[in-house]
Amino acid sequence: MKYYSTNKQVPEVSFEKAIFQGLPDDNGLYMPKKIKQLPSEFFKNIHDMPLHDIAFEVAKCFIEDEIPEKELRKIVAETLNFELPLVEVEDQVYALELYHGPTCAFKDVGARFLARCLSYFSRQSHKKATILVATSGDTGSAVASGFLGMKNINVVILYPKGKISKIQEQQLTTLGENITACEIEGTFDDCQKMVKDAFLNLELKEKYNLTSANSINMARLVPQSFYYFWTYAMLGEENDLVISVPSGNYGNLTAGLLAKKMGLPIKQFIASANANDIVPAYLKSGNFEPRRSIETISNAMDVGNPSNFYRMNDLFGADVEVFRKELVGCTYSDEETSKTIRQVYGDTGYLLDPHGAVGYLGLKAYLKDHDAVGVFLETAHPAKFLDVVEPIINEKVEIPQRLQDYIDRKKVAIEMQADLGQLEEVLKTL
Ligand SMILES: *Cc1c(COP(=O)(O)O)cnc(C)c1O
């Protein structure tokens, strides 16, 4: 499959090139040249298909023969080696729990698939690659866990000293093997700038075959479309389906929109945001106006300039009226989010995390005057946000064993200034 840049200033590339490059040189985003339609036969049978078979058929549409079928089946199975349960929270309201992977957030899905695709291609070309990633918390842990033990690939994670939670730091710094954590004297923005500068330094980029794993990579988007098909397989036979996606950088929602373009019958998508409501505001005003992000309790959605807006814009022919038809936007404050976590827990016993709670709110608002079956994505385990969730419900939250395991391990991190020279010293030793 060929991929083009949304800015259309660079030539089309293969899937392999698109995922090693991450970002095209014209600063656009890669999109598949053709969005393949799955046959009606597929949708007739989907309700009886296992998750891995569904995911394989969907993945094939994006990758075609660049990865042989047998390898691709293996990649899909290893990516989704955990459950994606659909839990009924209330009548007609379901949570799609995407947090049963190793780091307890949906980003595991994208990171695991990306890691395996990159590893496949680097084995074929006998080239070592280095993944360089800056993190404010969750992305780094999913990437570290997803790439752990991959041959031919080293991962270097830059994180701001003292600015991520204890559990997040343990998730980055205790794995060892091919994962190296660098603790940067600075902010997340400094870390991100180091990554940018490293990629702009062509000599460095070539020498260490630097690759990015950030969320604009197509190989993180592809597997996120699998679970929309899975939801339809479980619920959609007789029902109109509405799906609410708690959004920050809009990768998850874009994956859903791609699934719909492939023929998946979803009646409506809801873009649920916290106070960083750039996309809902665009739906209202018709002006896309990025701004500085504001801190909220659903912090993985604190994005002021959502990159995947440009993918959606491309899908919708840059027409705000199409956006308005395809998306309902809504935005919720921290107060509303907290109140909802407390209320839903009290009424049903179901514990939402702050991100899922925003998704739940958007869904409930829509269902007030529409008759449909609703699903919201539960993107992280509530135990990842103990500081927020425990005071709200005034109870201890049980920590899953796989999170607890990290807490008991020994931290290893290389301390450094936000300086490219110091980073290169580390790259040399890998
Ligand atoms: C990253 C993240 C989101 C936002 O997903 P996008 O694809 O960036 O819109 C939502 N919830 C959690 C827990 C996340 O980690």
Side-chain angles (χ1 to χ4, degrees), residues 15-16 19-20 63 67 71-72 74-82 102-103 106-124 127-133 139-157 175 178-179 211-215 217-224 226:
F15 177 72
E16 175 179 358
I19 70 169
F20 271 93
I63 299 171
I67 299 178
E71 287 285 343
L72 189 56
K74 194 165 150 240
I75 290 172
V76 162
E78 287 177 5
T79 299
L80 297 174
N81 67 345
F82 49 87
T103 73
F106 85 93
K107 291 195 171 70
D108 281 329
V109 177
R112 295 175 70 75
F113 189 79
L114 171 64
R116 281 156 184 81
C117 290
L118 289 178
S119 171
Y120 167 76
F121 288 122
S122 65
R123 259 182 287 145
Q124 296 310 110
K127 258 173 106 175
K128 245 185 148 153
T130 305
I131 311 293
L132 189 60
V133 62
T139 297
S141 49
V143 168
S145 158
F147 283 82
L148 183 65
M150 290 275 140
K151 294 206 171 57
N152 289 321
I153 298 184
N154 282 315
V155 177
V156 177
I157 300 168
L175 292 171
N178 58 331
I179 313 295
T211 298
S212 136
N214 66 19
S215 67
N217 198 303
M218 215 33 230
R220 286 182 55 175
L221 226 53
V222 167
Q224 286 172 202
F226 301 162

Coordinates of all heavy atoms in Angstrom, one line a residue, residues 15-16 19-20 63 67 71-72 74-82 102-103 106-124 127-133 139-157 175 178-179 211-215 217-224 226:
F15 N 4.5 1.3 3.0 CA 4.1 1.3 4.5 C 5.4 1.2 5.3 O 5.5 1.9 6.3 CB 3.3 0.0 4.7 CG 2.9 -0.2 6.2 CD1 2.0 0.6 6.8 CD2 3.5 -1.3 6.9 CE1 1.7 0.4 8.1 CE2 3.2 -1.5 8.2 CZ 2.3 -0.7 8.8
E16 N 6.4 0.4 4.8 CA 7.6 0.3 5.6 C 8.3 1.7 5.7 O 8.7 2.1 6.8 CB 8.6 -0.6 4.8 CG 10.0 -0.6 5.5 CD 11.0 -1.6 4.8 OE1 10.6 -2.3 3.8 OE2 12.1 -1.7 5.2
I19 N 6.4 4.0 8.1 CA 6.5 3.8 9.6 C 7.9 4.1 10.1 O 8.1 4.4 11.3 CB 5.9 2.5 10.0 CG1 6.8 1.3 9.6 CG2 4.5 2.3 9.6 CD1 6.4 0.0 10.3
F20 N 8.9 3.9 9.3 CA 10.3 4.2 9.8 C 10.5 5.7 9.8 O 11.2 6.2 10.7 CB 11.3 3.5 8.9 CG 11.7 2.2 9.4 CD1 11.1 1.1 8.9 CD2 12.7 2.0 10.4 CE1 11.4 -0.2 9.3 CE2 13.0 0.7 10.8 CZ 12.4 -0.4 10.3
I63 N -1.6 -2.9 4.8 CA -0.3 -3.3 4.6 C -0.1 -4.1 3.3 O 1.0 -4.1 2.7 CB 0.2 -4.1 5.8 CG1 0.1 -3.2 7.1 CG2 1.6 -4.6 5.7 CD1 0.4 -3.9 8.4
I67 N 4.1 -7.3 4.3 CA 4.4 -8.3 5.3 C 3.7 -9.6 4.9 O 2.5 -9.5 4.7 CB 4.0 -7.8 6.7 CG1 4.7 -6.5 7.1 CG2 4.3 -8.9 7.8 CD1 4.3 -5.9 8.4
E71 N 3.5 -13.9 8.8 CA 4.1 -13.0 9.7 C 3.1 -12.0 10.3 O 3.1 -11.7 11.5 CB 5.2 -12.1 9.0 CG 6.5 -12.9 8.7 CD 7.3 -13.1 10.0 OE1 7.1 -12.4 11.0 OE2 8.2 -14.0 9.9
L72 N 2.2 -11.5 9.4 CA 1.2 -10.5 9.8 C 0.3 -11.1 10.9 O -0.1 -10.5 11.9 CB 0.5 -10.0 8.6 CG -0.4 -8.8 8.9 CD1 0.3 -7.6 9.5 CD2 -1.1 -8.3 7.6
K74 N 1.0 -13.4 13.0 CA 1.8 -13.5 14.2 C 1.8 -12.1 14.9 O 1.7 -12.0 16.1 CB 3.2 -14.0 13.9 CG 3.9 -14.5 15.1 CD 5.1 -15.3 14.6 CE 6.2 -15.2 15.7 NZ 7.5 -14.6 15.1
I75 N 2.1 -11.1 14.1 CA 2.2 -9.7 14.6 C 0.9 -9.3 15.3 O 0.8 -8.8 16.4 CB 2.5 -8.7 13.5 CG1 4.0 -8.9 13.1 CG2 2.3 -7.3 14.0 CD1 4.4 -8.1 11.9
V76 N -0.2 -9.6 14.6 CA -1.6 -9.3 15.2 C -1.8 -10.1 16.5 O -2.3 -9.5 17.5 CB -2.6 -9.6 14.1 CG1 -4.0 -9.7 14.8 CG2 -2.6 -8.6 13.0
A77 N -1.5 -11.3 16.5 CA -1.8 -12.2 17.7 C -0.9 -11.7 18.9 O -1.4 -11.7 20.0 CB -1.5 -13.6 17.4
E78 N 0.4 -11.3 18.6 CA 1.2 -10.9 19.7 C 0.8 -9.5 20.2 O 1.0 -9.2 21.3 CB 2.7 -10.9 19.2 CG 3.3 -12.3 19.1 CD 4.7 -12.2 18.6 OE1 5.3 -11.1 18.4 OE2 5.2 -13.3 18.3
T79 N 0.3 -8.7 19.3 CA -0.2 -7.3 19.7 C -1.3 -7.5 20.6 O -1.4 -6.9 21.7 CB -0.6 -6.5 18.4 OG1 0.5 -6.4 17.6 CG2 -1.1 -5.2 18.8
L80 N -2.3 -8.3 20.2 CA -3.5 -8.4 21.0 C -3.5 -9.7 21.8 O -4.3 -10.6 21.6 CB -4.8 -8.4 20.1 CG -5.0 -7.1 19.4 CD1 -6.1 -7.2 18.4 CD2 -5.2 -5.9 20.3
N81 N -2.5 -9.8 22.7 CA -2.4 -11.0 23.6 C -3.1 -10.7 24.9 O -2.7 -11.3 25.9 CB -1.0 -11.4 23.8 CG -0.2 -10.4 24.6 OD1 -0.6 -9.3 24.7 ND2 1.0 -10.8 25.1
F82 N -4.0 -9.8 24.9 CA -4.8 -9.5 26.1 C -6.3 -9.3 25.7 O -6.6 -9.1 24.5 CB -4.3 -8.4 26.9 CG -4.0 -7.1 26.1 CD1 -5.0 -6.2 25.9 CD2 -2.7 -6.9 25.5 CE1 -4.8 -5.1 25.1 CE2 -2.5 -5.8 24.8 CZ -3.5 -4.9 24.5
P102 N -0.1 -4.7 29.0 CA 0.9 -4.7 30.1 C 1.1 -3.4 30.8 O 1.5 -3.4 32.0 CB 2.2 -5.0 29.3 CG 1.9 -4.9 27.9 CD 0.4 -5.1 27.7
T103 N 0.8 -2.2 30.2 CA 1.0 -0.9 30.9 C -0.4 -0.3 31.3 O -0.4 0.8 31.8 CB 1.8 0.1 30.2 OG1 1.1 0.6 29.1 CG2 3.1 -0.5 29.6
F106 N -4.6 2.1 26.6 CA -4.8 1.6 25.3 C -3.6 1.8 24.4 O -3.5 1.2 23.3 CB -6.0 2.3 24.6 CG -5.7 3.7 24.0 CD1 -5.4 3.8 22.7 CD2 -5.7 4.8 24.8 CE1 -5.1 5.0 22.1 CE2 -5.4 6.1 24.2 CZ -5.1 6.1 22.8
K107 N -2.7 2.7 24.8 CA -1.5 2.9 24.0 C -0.7 1.6 23.8 O 0.2 1.5 22.9 CB -0.7 4.0 24.5 CG -1.4 5.4 24.4 CD -0.5 6.6 24.6 CE -1.2 7.9 24.2 NZ -2.3 8.2 25.2
D108 N -0.9 0.6 24.6 CA -0.2 -0.7 24.4 C -0.5 -1.2 23.1 O 0.3 -1.9 22.4 CB -0.7 -1.7 25.5 CG -0.1 -1.5 26.8 OD1 1.1 -1.1 26.9 OD2 -0.7 -1.8 27.9
V109 N -1.8 -1.1 22.6 CA -2.2 -1.7 21.3 C -1.3 -1.1 20.2 O -0.7 -1.9 19.4 CB -3.7 -1.4 21.0 CG1 -4.1 -2.0 19.7 CG2 -4.5 -2.0 22.1
G110 N -1.2 0.2 20.1 CA -0.4 0.8 19.0 C 1.0 0.5 19.2 O 1.7 0.2 18.2
A111 N 1.6 0.6 20.4 CA 3.0 0.5 20.6 C 3.4 -1.0 20.3 O 4.5 -1.2 19.7 CB 3.4 0.8 22.0
R112 N 2.6 -1.9 20.7 CA 3.0 -3.4 20.4 C 3.0 -3.7 18.9 O 3.8 -4.4 18.4 CB 2.0 -4.3 21.2 CG 2.1 -4.2 22.7 CD 1.0 -5.0 23.4 NE 1.3 -6.4 23.3 CZ 2.3 -7.1 23.9 NH1 3.0 -6.4 24.8 NH2 2.4 -8.4 23.8
F113 N 2.0 -3.1 18.2 CA 1.9 -3.4 16.8 C 3.1 -2.7 16.0 O 3.8 -3.3 15.2 CB 0.6 -2.9 16.2 CG 0.3 -3.3 14.8 CD1 -0.2 -4.6 14.5 CD2 0.5 -2.4 13.8 CE1 -0.5 -4.9 13.2 CE2 0.2 -2.7 12.5 CZ -0.3 -4.0 12.2
L114 N 3.3 -1.4 16.4 CA 4.5 -0.7 15.8 C 5.8 -1.4 16.0 O 6.6 -1.6 15.1 CB 4.5 0.7 16.4 CG 5.8 1.5 16.0 CD1 5.8 1.8 14.5 CD2 5.8 2.9 16.8
A115 N 6.0 -1.9 17.2 CA 7.3 -2.5 17.6 C 7.5 -3.8 16.7 O 8.6 -4.0 16.2 CB 7.3 -2.9 19.1
R116 N 6.4 -4.5 16.5 CA 6.5 -5.8 15.8 C 6.7 -5.5 14.3 O 7.4 -6.3 13.6 CB 5.4 -6.7 16.1 CG 5.6 -7.4 17.5 CD 4.4 -7.9 18.2 NE 4.8 -8.4 19.5 CZ 5.1 -7.6 20.6 NH1 5.0 -6.3 20.5 NH2 5.5 -8.1 21.7
C117 N 6.0 -4.5 13.8 CA 6.2 -4.2 12.4 C 7.7 -3.7 12.1 O 8.3 -4.2 11.2 CB 5.2 -3.1 11.9 SG 3.6 -3.7 11.8
L118 N 8.2 -2.8 13.0 CA 9.5 -2.3 12.8 C 10.5 -3.4 12.9 O 11.5 -3.5 12.1 CB 9.8 -1.2 13.8 CG 9.1 0.1 13.7 CD1 9.5 1.0 14.8 CD2 9.4 0.8 12.3
S119 N 10.3 -4.3 13.9 CA 11.2 -5.4 14.1 C 11.2 -6.4 12.8 O 12.3 -6.8 12.4 CB 10.8 -6.2 15.3 OG 11.5 -7.4 15.4
Y120 N 10.0 -6.6 12.3 CA 10.0 -7.4 11.1 C 10.8 -6.8 10.0 O 11.7 -7.5 9.4 CB 8.5 -7.6 10.6 CG 8.5 -8.2 9.2 CD1 8.8 -9.6 9.0 CD2 8.3 -7.4 8.1 CE1 8.8 -10.1 7.7 CE2 8.3 -7.9 6.8 CZ 8.6 -9.3 6.6 OH 8.6 -9.8 5.4
F121 N 10.6 -5.5 9.7 CA 11.3 -4.9 8.6 C 12.8 -4.8 8.9 O 13.6 -5.0 7.9 CB 10.8 -3.5 8.3 CG 9.4 -3.5 7.6 CD1 8.3 -2.9 8.2 CD2 9.2 -4.2 6.4 CE1 7.1 -2.9 7.6 CE2 7.9 -4.2 5.8 CZ 6.9 -3.6 6.4
S122 N 13.2 -4.6 10.1 CA 14.7 -4.4 10.4 C 15.4 -5.8 10.3 O 16.5 -5.9 10.0 CB 14.9 -3.7 11.6 OG 14.5 -4.4 12.7
R123 N 14.6 -6.9 10.6 CA 15.2 -8.2 10.4 C 15.4 -8.5 8.9 O 16.5 -9.0 8.5 CB 14.2 -9.3 11.0 CG 14.7 -9.8 12.3 CD 13.7 -10.9 12.8 NE 12.4 -10.3 13.2 CZ 11.2 -10.8 13.0 NH1 11.1 -12.0 12.4 NH2 10.1 -10.2 13.4
Q124 N 14.5 -8.0 8.1 CA 14.6 -8.2 6.6 C 15.8 -7.5 6.1 O 16.5 -8.0 5.2 CB 13.3 -7.8 5.9 CG 12.1 -8.5 6.2 CD 12.2 -10.0 6.2 OE1 12.2 -10.7 7.2 NE2 12.4 -10.6 5.0
K127 N 19.2 -4.2 9.4 CA 19.7 -2.9 9.9 C 19.2 -2.8 11.3 O 18.0 -3.0 11.6 CB 19.1 -1.8 9.0 CG 20.0 -1.3 8.0 CD 19.4 -0.3 7.1 CE 19.7 1.1 7.4 NZ 19.1 2.0 6.4
K128 N 20.1 -2.3 12.2 CA 19.7 -1.9 13.5 C 18.9 -0.6 13.5 O 19.3 0.3 12.8 CB 20.9 -1.8 14.4 CG 21.0 -2.9 15.5 CD 22.2 -2.6 16.4 CE 21.8 -3.1 17.7 NZ 22.8 -3.6 18.6
A129 N 17.9 -0.5 14.4 CA 17.3 0.8 14.5 C 17.2 1.3 15.9 O 17.3 0.5 16.8 CB 15.8 0.7 13.9
T130 N 17.2 2.6 16.1 CA 17.1 3.2 17.4 C 15.8 4.0 17.5 O 15.6 4.9 16.7 CB 18.3 4.1 17.7 OG1 19.5 3.4 17.6 CG2 18.2 4.6 19.2
I131 N 14.9 3.7 18.4 CA 13.7 4.4 18.6 C 14.0 5.5 19.7 O 14.4 5.2 20.8 CB 12.6 3.5 19.2 CG1 12.4 2.2 18.4 CG2 11.3 4.3 19.3 CD1 11.9 2.4 17.0
L132 N 13.8 6.7 19.3 CA 14.0 7.8 20.2 C 12.6 8.4 20.5 O 11.9 8.8 19.6 CB 14.9 8.9 19.5 CG 15.4 10.0 20.4 CD1 16.3 9.5 21.5 CD2 16.3 10.9 19.5
V133 N 12.3 8.5 21.8 CA 11.0 9.0 22.2 C 11.0 9.9 23.4 O 11.7 9.6 24.4 CB 10.0 7.8 22.3 CG1 10.3 6.9 23.4 CG2 8.5 8.3 22.5
T139 N 3.0 7.4 27.1 CA 3.5 6.9 25.8 C 4.8 6.2 26.0 O 5.0 5.1 25.5 CB 3.8 8.1 24.8 OG1 2.5 8.7 24.5 CG2 4.4 7.6 23.5
G140 N 5.7 6.7 26.8 CA 7.0 6.1 27.1 C 6.9 4.7 27.6 O 7.6 3.8 27.3
S141 N 5.9 4.5 28.6 CA 5.8 3.2 29.2 C 5.3 2.2 28.2 O 5.7 1.1 28.2 CB 4.9 3.3 30.5 OG 3.7 4.0 30.2
A142 N 4.3 2.6 27.4 CA 3.7 1.7 26.4 C 4.8 1.3 25.4 O 4.9 0.2 25.0 CB 2.5 2.3 25.7
V143 N 5.6 2.3 25.0 CA 6.7 2.0 24.0 C 7.7 1.1 24.6 O 8.2 0.2 24.0 CB 7.3 3.4 23.5 CG1 8.5 3.1 22.7 CG2 6.2 4.1 22.6
A144 N 8.2 1.4 25.8 CA 9.2 0.6 26.5 C 8.7 -0.8 26.6 O 9.4 -1.8 26.2 CB 9.5 1.2 27.9
S145 N 7.5 -1.0 27.0 CA 7.0 -2.4 27.2 C 6.8 -3.1 25.8 O 7.1 -4.2 25.7 CB 5.7 -2.3 28.0 OG 4.9 -3.5 27.7
G146 N 6.3 -2.3 24.8 CA 6.0 -2.8 23.5 C 7.3 -3.3 22.8 O 7.3 -4.3 22.0
F147 N 8.4 -2.6 23.0 CA 9.7 -2.9 22.3 C 10.6 -3.8 23.1 O 11.7 -4.2 22.6 CB 10.4 -1.7 22.0 CG 9.8 -0.9 20.8 CD1 8.7 -0.1 20.9 CD2 10.3 -1.1 19.5 CE1 8.2 0.6 19.8 CE2 9.8 -0.4 18.4 CZ 8.7 0.4 18.6
L148 N 10.2 -4.1 24.4 CA 11.1 -4.9 25.2 C 11.5 -6.2 24.6 O 10.7 -7.0 24.1 CB 10.5 -5.2 26.6 CG 11.3 -5.9 27.6 CD1 12.5 -5.0 28.0 CD2 10.5 -6.3 28.8
G149 N 12.9 -6.4 24.5 CA 13.4 -7.7 24.0 C 13.4 -7.8 22.5 O 13.8 -8.9 21.9
M150 N 13.0 -6.8 21.7 CA 13.0 -6.8 20.3 C 14.4 -6.8 19.8 O 15.2 -6.0 20.1 CB 12.3 -5.6 19.7 CG 10.8 -5.6 19.9 SD 10.0 -6.5 18.6 CE 8.7 -7.3 19.6
K151 N 14.7 -7.8 18.9 CA 16.1 -7.8 18.3 C 16.3 -6.7 17.4 O 15.3 -6.3 16.7 CB 16.3 -9.2 17.6 CG 16.2 -10.3 18.6 CD 17.0 -11.5 18.1 CE 17.1 -12.6 19.2 NZ 15.7 -13.0 19.7
N152 N 17.5 -6.2 17.2 CA 17.8 -5.2 16.2 C 17.3 -3.8 16.6 O 17.4 -2.9 15.8 CB 17.3 -5.5 14.8 CG 18.1 -6.6 14.2 OD1 19.3 -6.7 14.4 ND2 17.4 -7.5 13.5
I153 N 16.6 -3.6 17.7 CA 16.0 -2.3 18.0 C 16.4 -1.9 19.4 O 16.2 -2.7 20.4 CB 14.4 -2.4 17.9 CG1 14.1 -2.7 16.4 CG2 13.8 -1.0 18.3 CD1 12.6 -2.6 16.1
N154 N 17.0 -0.7 19.5 CA 17.2 -0.1 20.8 C 16.2 1.0 21.0 O 15.8 1.7 20.1 CB 18.6 0.5 20.9 CG 19.6 -0.6 21.1 OD1 19.5 -1.5 21.9 ND2 20.7 -0.6 20.3
V155 N 15.8 1.2 22.3 CA 14.8 2.3 22.6 C 15.5 3.2 23.6 O 16.0 2.8 24.6 CB 13.5 1.7 23.2 CG1 12.6 2.8 23.6 CG2 12.9 0.7 22.2
V156 N 15.4 4.5 23.3 CA 15.9 5.5 24.2 C 14.8 6.4 24.5 O 14.2 7.1 23.6 CB 17.1 6.3 23.5 CG1 17.6 7.4 24.5 CG2 18.3 5.4 23.2
I157 N 14.5 6.5 25.8 CA 13.3 7.3 26.3 C 13.8 8.5 27.0 O 14.7 8.4 28.0 CB 12.4 6.5 27.2 CG1 11.9 5.3 26.4 CG2 11.3 7.3 27.7 CD1 11.3 4.2 27.3
L175 N 13.0 -1.7 33.1 CA 12.9 -2.9 32.2 C 14.3 -3.4 31.8 O 14.5 -4.6 31.7 CB 12.1 -2.5 31.0 CG 10.6 -2.3 31.3 CD1 9.9 -1.7 30.1 CD2 9.9 -3.6 31.8
N178 N 17.0 -3.9 26.1 CA 17.2 -2.9 25.0 C 16.5 -1.6 25.2 O 16.4 -0.7 24.4 CB 16.7 -3.5 23.6 CG 15.2 -3.8 23.7 OD1 14.7 -4.2 24.8 ND2 14.5 -3.8 22.6
I179 N 16.1 -1.3 26.5 CA 15.4 -0.1 26.8 C 16.4 0.8 27.7 O 16.8 0.3 28.7 CB 14.1 -0.3 27.6 CG1 13.3 -1.4 27.0 CG2 13.4 1.0 27.9 CD1 12.7 -1.1 25.7
T211 N 14.5 6.4 14.6 CA 13.1 6.3 14.2 C 12.3 6.8 15.4 O 12.7 6.7 16.5 CB 12.8 4.8 13.9 OG1 13.6 4.4 12.9 CG2 11.3 4.6 13.6
S212 N 11.1 7.3 15.0 CA 10.2 7.9 16.1 C 9.1 6.9 16.4 O 8.7 6.1 15.5 CB 9.7 9.2 15.6 OG 8.3 9.3 16.0
A213 N 8.6 7.0 17.6 CA 7.4 6.1 17.9 C 6.3 6.9 18.4 O 5.4 6.4 19.1 CB 7.8 5.1 19.0
N214 N 6.2 8.2 18.0 CA 5.2 9.0 18.5 C 3.8 8.7 17.9 O 3.8 7.9 16.9 CB 5.5 10.5 18.6 CG 5.7 11.0 17.2 OD1 5.2 10.5 16.3 ND2 6.4 12.1 17.1
S215 N 2.8 9.3 18.4 CA 1.4 8.8 18.0 C 1.0 9.2 16.6 O -0.1 8.8 16.2 CB 0.4 9.4 19.0 OG 0.3 10.8 18.9
N217 N 2.6 8.1 14.1 CA 3.0 7.0 13.3 C 1.8 6.1 12.8 O 1.0 5.7 13.6 CB 4.0 6.1 14.0 CG 4.8 5.2 13.1 OD1 4.3 4.4 12.4 ND2 6.1 5.4 13.2
M218 N 1.8 5.9 11.5 CA 0.6 5.1 10.9 C 0.5 3.7 11.6 O -0.6 3.2 11.7 CB 1.0 4.9 9.4 CG -0.2 5.0 8.5 SD -1.6 6.0 8.8 CE -2.9 4.7 8.6
A219 N 1.6 3.1 12.0 CA 1.6 1.8 12.5 C 1.0 1.8 14.0 O 0.7 0.7 14.5 CB 2.9 1.1 12.5
R220 N 0.8 2.9 14.5 CA 0.1 3.0 15.8 C -1.4 3.1 15.5 O -2.3 2.6 16.3 CB 0.6 4.1 16.7 CG 1.9 3.7 17.3 CD 2.5 4.8 18.3 NE 1.6 5.1 19.3 CZ 1.9 5.9 20.3 NH1 3.1 6.5 20.4 NH2 1.0 6.2 21.2
L221 N -1.7 3.8 14.4 CA -3.1 4.0 14.1 C -3.8 2.7 13.6 O -5.0 2.4 14.0 CB -3.2 5.0 13.0 CG -4.2 6.2 13.1 CD1 -4.1 6.9 14.4 CD2 -4.1 7.2 12.0
V222 N -3.1 2.0 12.8 CA -3.8 0.8 12.1 C -4.4 -0.2 13.2 O -5.6 -0.5 13.1 CB -2.7 0.0 11.2 CG1 -3.2 -1.3 10.8 CG2 -2.4 0.9 10.0
P223 N -3.6 -0.6 14.2 CA -4.2 -1.5 15.1 C -5.3 -0.9 16.0 O -6.2 -1.7 16.5 CB -3.0 -2.0 16.0 CG -2.1 -0.8 16.0 CD -2.3 -0.2 14.6
Q224 N -5.4 0.4 16.1 CA -6.4 1.0 16.9 C -7.8 0.9 16.1 O -8.8 1.1 16.8 CB -6.1 2.5 17.2 CG -5.0 2.5 18.3 CD -4.5 3.9 18.5 OE1 -3.4 4.0 19.1 NE2 -5.2 5.0 18.2
F226 N -8.7 -1.9 14.9 CA -9.2 -3.3 15.1 C -10.4 -3.3 16.0 O -11.4 -4.0 15.8 CB -8.1 -4.2 15.6 CG -6.9 -4.3 14.8 CD1 -5.7 -4.8 15.4 CD2 -6.9 -4.0 13.5 CE1 -4.6 -5.0 14.6 CE2 -5.7 -4.1 12.7 CZ -4.6 -4.6 13.3

